[in-house]
Amino acid sequence: MQTVAEPIPIRIGCRTDVGHKREHNEDSFAVVDRAALNGLLDCVLLVADGMGGMGGGDVASRITAHTVPETIHQLLQTSPHEELVSLLLQAFQAANQEVFTRRADRIEQRSMGTTCVCALIRNGTLAIAHVGDSRAYLLRHGRLSLLTADHSAVWEEIQAGRMTREEAEANRYRHVITRAIGIAPDVEVDTSLHSLEVGDVLLLCSDGLTTEVTEREIAQILVSSTDPQEACNRLIESALNHGGSDNVTALVARYGPMRPLLPPEEETPTDNTANWRYALTQETVADSKPVSKVARGWVVGTLLLLLIALGEAAWIYHLFVKLQHARPSQPVVLLQPPSKPAVFEPLSYATVATKQLDMPLRNDVLQIMPNGDLLVATLQGKLMDFNPQTHLLRPVPVNAQIPSSPETSAKKTKPTAHFYLTLDQAGNRYQIRPDLRCIEKFTPEGTRVATNIGKGALVAPTCLAVAPSGTIYVIDNGRLKSIQAYPARPQSSELSTSQAR
């Protein structure tokens, strides 16, 4: 009689924290064990980082943390041997549709979306899928390898060879993501497959961890922790001690018994040379370079700590809170201009210009697209699609390169004309006065109805566009800013300089 080998045990730890700067925790996670999956998978692990603030980032991440594992479980009931990558792709598309439908159906949640990284383990094979900048790491033989590539503006610069990975980690635009779940009817998902070895440690985390804690410190915590839950606790505490500027979530899984091994002190435990960026083949094995046997200084003492007996506590979490929500029969198209634009009504304008995108842009490209997004261009001439509600920036995929402008500088914008103008949907004309650093508004008949819009708040305005709501977007000193429009209060006498019809 042929004996069936016992599955290698997987111990899991997880923790999330709101951090020191945020009022709400928009991170969610899910852990599903082998028993809940009827033995068809060893586990499902997921971390999602919502975006949208009070607009529903926490809702988006919870929907995703519920839908992805549930979809995988349902697929396995009909196709027990379905390929891991296929399971992930179908589950991510289902989650994307759920979030997209919810956000289209509810006005207060139309700015929501979420990142997601998910791992499936079956018989020693690890499958990873991700969207956004939540990450997956694999620790093997004391070395930490990044298994995912952030979907962000700076990581695209890395892939183009214009920025190193170290520069990307320190770049202040690293959080401007180019993909997210729920912001469009379809989502592009990156996947990869890896072969696991006994003693491997898997880490899934939101960017609240990687923003505050270096990869070297992450590796040192993982190799020196005797239990996955201990590792999670130490990782979260480290992030909080370094500032805790964002919600932070860590999920650690150890495949088989612990292997007490530390990297040499003079070597970095982070494998920055691994070809992780192209690890999208069906069988990609993480780098497993041997660690030097020469122990120096603290290694002996640390090894003694690593010989502590392992506990047998099980850390198993089931599906996250189920959300009840209605699903309309047909998807609703987002952000379409209203049939009667608000610009026909009297408007007042904010006295401040709110910075929408803290990233150098060309001073001569700014358009409102039919879906409400803004079309802007980088200093290199690359056209980008910016959603002012979610602050999601993504490249325009086709014919998206225009000649670079010699008049645009990363440090200073130099106007070259006497004024710049645009029209809204009602035919009103908006005209920049560079000399006064403000915007004037005229009716289609030529009557001036608003002056000094943005005066005192603009530095060097050069290009502007007007949304159907009346909000003015302007490229000011190479940065995208907005001046909010509000319904004007009734006035009994002269028309205010900040009011327009």
Side-chain angles (χ1 to χ4, degrees):
M1 178 182 296
Q2 185 177 1
T3 59
V4 179
E6 289 292 329
I8 294 177
I10 300 175
R11 301 191 62 188
I12 301 168
C14 45
R15 181 177 168 184
T16 185
D17 195 281
V18 68
H20 296 319
K21 305 294 180 64
R22 302 296 179 91
E23 296 182 359
H24 305 281
N25 193 344
E26 297 184 326
D27 286 2
S28 296
F29 66 86
V31 178
V32 188
D33 70 339
R34 181 181 179 85
L37 295 164
N38 299 324
L40 299 176
L41 292 178
D42 293 330
C43 65
V44 177
L45 313 173
L46 178 146
V47 169
D49 180 2
M51 61 186 189
M54 295 302 293
D58 57 333
V59 176
S61 66
R62 288 201 305 268
I63 291 176
T64 301
H66 164 75
T67 303
V68 169
E70 184 181 65
T71 302
I72 291 172
H73 184 269
Q74 293 173 351
L75 292 170
L76 288 172
Q77 303 312 304
T78 57
S79 302
H81 304 292
E82 183 75 19
E83 293 184 357
L84 298 180
V85 169
S86 176
L87 290 172
L88 286 167
L89 291 176
Q90 293 180 72
F92 269 59
Q93 292 298 339
N96 183 77
Q97 187 60 50
E98 290 289 339
V99 177
F100 181 75
T101 300
R102 170 68 72 91
R103 113 181 206 153
D105 192 42
R106 303 190 181 186
I107 296 177
E108 70 275 11
Q109 295 176 350
R110 289 192 176 180
S111 63
M112 73 178 183
T114 184
T115 70
C116 183
V117 58
C118 182
L120 307 183
I121 299 177
R122 181 168 63 189
N123 299 330
T125 298
L126 167 67
I128 298 288
H130 85 289
V131 172
D133 59 359
S134 294
R135 292 182 176 180
Y137 288 93
L138 184 68
L139 181 80
R140 173 175 295 172
H141 303 309
R143 291 186 177 275
L144 191 68
S145 297
L146 179 59
L147 303 182
T148 55
D150 293 355
H151 298 140
S152 65
V154 295
W155 283 96
E156 289 183 359
E157 294 297 299
I158 292 176
Q159 293 175 335
R162 294 188 290 265
M163 186 180 294
T164 67
R165 184 173 167 189
E166 290 72 21
E167 291 172 338
E169 294 291 348
N171 194 288
R172 59 178 175 173
Y173 306 121
R174 61 176 297 221
H175 300 297
V176 180
I177 61 176
T178 56
R179 293 189 212 171
I181 286 179
I183 64 171
D186 296 302
V187 62
E188 183 180 356
V189 183
D190 284 356
T191 61
S192 61
L193 284 173
H194 311 268
S195 295
L196 290 176
E197 297 180 4
V198 173
D200 283 350
V201 178
L202 175 68
L203 167 66
L204 305 185
C205 62
S206 62
D207 67 338
L209 177 67
T210 53
T211 297
E212 303 290 0
V213 186
T214 66
E215 289 185 337
R216 178 176 180 84
E217 185 175 354
I218 290 174
Q220 290 174 339
I221 290 174
L222 292 177
V223 297
S224 61
S225 298
T226 59
D227 180 81
Q229 188 60 48
E230 176 194 346
C232 284
N233 293 338
R234 292 176 61 189
L235 288 170
I236 298 299
E237 292 301 327
S238 180
L240 296 177
N241 291 337
H242 282 84
S245 60
D246 198 359
N247 308 146
V248 55
T249 300
L251 195 159
V252 175
R254 189 175 67 229
Y255 187 69
M258 182 179 182
R259 300 179 65 173
L261 182 64
L262 284 175
E265 185 177 8
E266 71 275 9
E267 295 183 12
T268 173
T270 303
D271 179 11
N272 290 328
T273 62
N275 195 20
W276 58 270
R277 203 170 296 121
Y278 307 101
L280 302 178
T281 58
Q282 290 299 306
E283 287 294 339
T284 304
V285 182
D287 186 17
S288 58
K289 296 180 180 179
V291 179
S292 172
K293 297 181 180 179
V294 180
R296 296 190 179 184
W298 49 271
V299 175
V300 174
T302 308
L303 287 176
L304 292 177
L305 294 177
L306 296 177
L307 296 178
I308 298 174
L310 300 179
E312 294 300 330
W315 296 90
I316 301 174
Y317 288 78
H318 293 279
L319 297 177
F320 215 76
V321 179
K322 293 187 177 181
L323 300 174
Q324 296 181 353
H325 53 275
R327 183 170 179 173
S329 57
Q330 293 182 351
V332 180
V333 179
L334 295 182
L335 302 177
Q336 292 297 330
S339 56
K340 184 178 180 181
V343 290
F344 284 106
E345 303 298 330
L347 297 175
S348 294
Y349 296 93
T351 58
V352 297
T354 303
K355 187 179 293 184
Q356 294 288 323
L357 186 59
D358 189 14
M359 179 178 181
L361 299 172
R362 281 184 53 151
N363 61 12
D364 57 349
V365 178
L366 179 60
Q367 293 290 331
I368 302 283
M369 296 193 288
N371 65 350
D373 288 0
L374 300 176
L375 183 68
V376 296
T378 66
L379 298 183
Q380 294 75 28
K382 186 173 183 179
L383 292 177
M384 306 293 288
D385 179 331
F386 177 72
N387 187 314
Q389 294 185 0
T390 64
H391 284 213
L392 181 68
L393 182 71
R394 53 187 174 184
V396 177
V398 181
N399 297 326
Q401 190 72 29
I402 60 177
S404 59
S405 173
E407 298 169 0
T408 304
S409 167
K411 297 182 179 180
K412 187 176 181 181
T413 303
K414 299 179 180 179
T416 57
H418 296 295
F419 55 79
Y420 303 81
L421 58 86
T422 190
L423 302 177
D424 63 22
Q425 292 186 355
N428 297 310
R429 185 175 81 249
Y430 298 75
Q431 184 169 303
I432 291 178
R433 288 287 303 271
D435 54 338
L436 300 179
R437 300 177 182 176
C438 66
I439 300 169
E440 296 180 339
K441 183 176 180 179
F442 300 83
T443 66
E445 296 75 26
T447 303
R448 180 183 299 165
V449 292
T451 61
N452 298 332
I453 300 175
K455 189 169 185 179
L458 300 177
V459 179
T462 57
C463 189
L464 73 165
V466 182
S469 63
T471 294
I472 300 174
Y473 294 95
V474 58
I475 302 295
D476 181 36
N477 201 33
R479 298 296 190 274
L480 177 63
K481 299 180 180 179
S482 67
I483 302 175
Q484 187 70 35
Y486 305 97
R489 296 179 180 178
Q491 297 183 357
S492 57
S493 57
E494 297 181 0
L495 187 67
S496 169
T497 59
S498 62
Q499 178 181 324
R501 64 179 180 90

